[in-house]
Amino acid sequence: MSVLAPPPPAAAEVFGAALDDAIRYAELLATAGVERGLIGPRETERLWDRHLLNCAVVAEAVGPDATVVDVGSGAGLPGVPLALARPDLRVVFLEPMERRCVFLREVVEALGATSRMSVLRGRAPDAGMGRDGLRWDVAVARAVAPLERLGGMLLPVVQPGGVMLAMRGSRVDEELAEARDGLHSQGWREMQVLLCGKDRLTEPTRLVSAVRVADDVGRGGGDRHDGRQRERRGQTAREQQRRARGRACST
C-alpha cells in the first residue's frame, strides 16, 4: 500500500482550521478505507488532489448554513471534505450499504463531528418519498448515476427551491445538453455548469447545478431534515444558491 502524501499547499487554504481533521480523514481513507475495499490502493497517491480537494471546493457552490445530503456517499466523498471546508453546514451521508455506513460512522466519531455530520442508511428516492420524506437544501452526488437518472433520484430529497449539485467529468457540457430536457420534465430549472476551485486546483471541479421547482404537489407540507421538523429559514435555498454563485464561476 502506498504511503499517504503530505497535504499540498492548497489544502491549508481550502480547509483552513480544519486541516488537521482533513489529514485525519485522509489517513482513514488510506488505511481502513483501502483495507475494506472502499477506495482503491492506487488512489492513496492522489487522495489530496483527486479526492479531498476536488470535493472540498464544492463548498463554493453551497449557500450559508445549508443542510446538505451526500447521496451515495460511499467512503464520504464529497460529503466529508465539504463538511470540513464549511463548518456552517449540516451534512448527512446517505448510503445504502451497511459496511460503508459503518466506516462513515467511524469517520464522524474520529473527527468529533457528530453535531453536524450524521449517517443515514438508505436510498435517495426512498428517503424522500411520502409525507414524512426527508428533504434538504442541497443534494450533492459524485459518480452515482448518469445525469438524467441522477436527477430523478435526487428530486425527492431536495426541498422546493433547493439545489442539486452533481459532480461530473470533462464531458459535463455534453452531458447537460443531452439530459437537459429530461431534467426539465422531472422538475429541475436553472440548469448550468459551475467550475469550482479554478484558482486553487490544477483541474477545477465541474458541477451541474439545478434548482428544484417550488411545486410540492403530492409531497405534503413541512420541511424535514435529519428526521427533525424545523422552521423555514427566512432565506430560501434559492437565495442561498444565488449568493453562492458569486464564489463559483459559470461556464
Side-chain angles (χ1 to χ4, degrees):
M1 184 171 60
S2 302
V3 176
L4 177 66
E13 181 181 357
V14 171
F15 289 108
L19 179 59
D20 286 345
D21 285 337
I23 293 173
R24 177 59 179 146
Y25 175 55
E27 292 171 344
L28 288 169
L29 287 176
T31 54
V34 171
E35 292 164 5
R36 301 182 195 181
L38 302 181
I39 192 165
R42 296 182 180 179
E43 295 301 306
T44 57
E45 299 177 1
R46 47 188 182 179
L47 273 179
W48 287 103
D49 293 333
R50 185 180 176 90
H51 298 290
L52 274 76
L53 292 174
N54 178 261
C55 292
V57 296
V58 173
E60 296 176 10
V62 181
D65 302 316
T67 57
V68 180
V69 59
D70 176 11
V71 174
S73 190
L77 300 164
V80 173
L82 174 60
L84 292 177
R86 288 285 302 280
D88 61 306
L89 305 178
R90 264 199 299 136
V91 180
V92 173
F93 310 115
L94 182 60
E95 168 57 47
M97 295 186 65
E98 178 60 22
R99 66 184 181 90
R100 293 174 180 172
C101 289
V102 169
F103 175 77
L104 289 169
R105 294 185 193 105
E106 292 173 1
V107 168
V108 173
E109 289 290 339
L111 298 177
T114 55
S115 63
R116 59 189 186 87
M117 300 184 202
S118 58
V119 182
L120 176 63
R121 186 181 180 188
R123 299 181 184 277
D126 298 332
M129 289 296 183
R131 296 184 61 86
D132 293 327
L134 306 175
R135 302 178 195 166
W136 291 264
D137 298 328
V138 179
V140 298
R142 182 191 196 212
V144 172
L147 188 54
E148 184 175 344
R149 184 153 63 91
L150 180 64
M153 293 168 59
L154 299 187
L155 191 77
V157 297
V158 176
Q159 65 173 331
V163 178
M164 165 179 73
L165 295 175
M167 296 179 68
R168 313 307 293 180
S170 58
R171 291 188 61 256
V172 61
D173 293 295
E174 298 171 52
E175 288 186 70
L176 179 55
E178 294 168 359
R180 185 178 292 275
D181 289 345
L183 293 172
H184 187 276
S185 67
Q186 291 169 0
W188 296 106
R189 301 293 185 270
E190 300 182 34
M191 291 163 277
Q192 62 180 311
V193 173
L194 302 178
L195 300 180
C196 299
K198 291 178 64 176
D199 299 328
R200 298 173 175 179
L201 307 182
T202 304
E203 184 75 15
T205 297
R206 300 171 179 87
L207 301 176
V208 169
S209 170
V211 177
R212 186 188 190 277
V213 295
D215 178 5
D216 208 23
V217 176
R219 291 290 307 278
D223 294 334
R224 293 288 297 267
H225 301 272
D226 285 274
R228 296 180 295 231
Q229 196 79 18
R230 68 174 179 86
E231 296 180 353
R232 292 182 180 271
R233 293 187 177 92
Q235 181 185 49
T236 65
R238 186 191 295 263
E239 292 167 341
Q240 293 174 347
Q241 179 70 0
R242 285 172 179 161
R243 289 176 58 183
R245 286 174 191 151
R247 300 194 296 270
C249 298
S250 175
T251 62

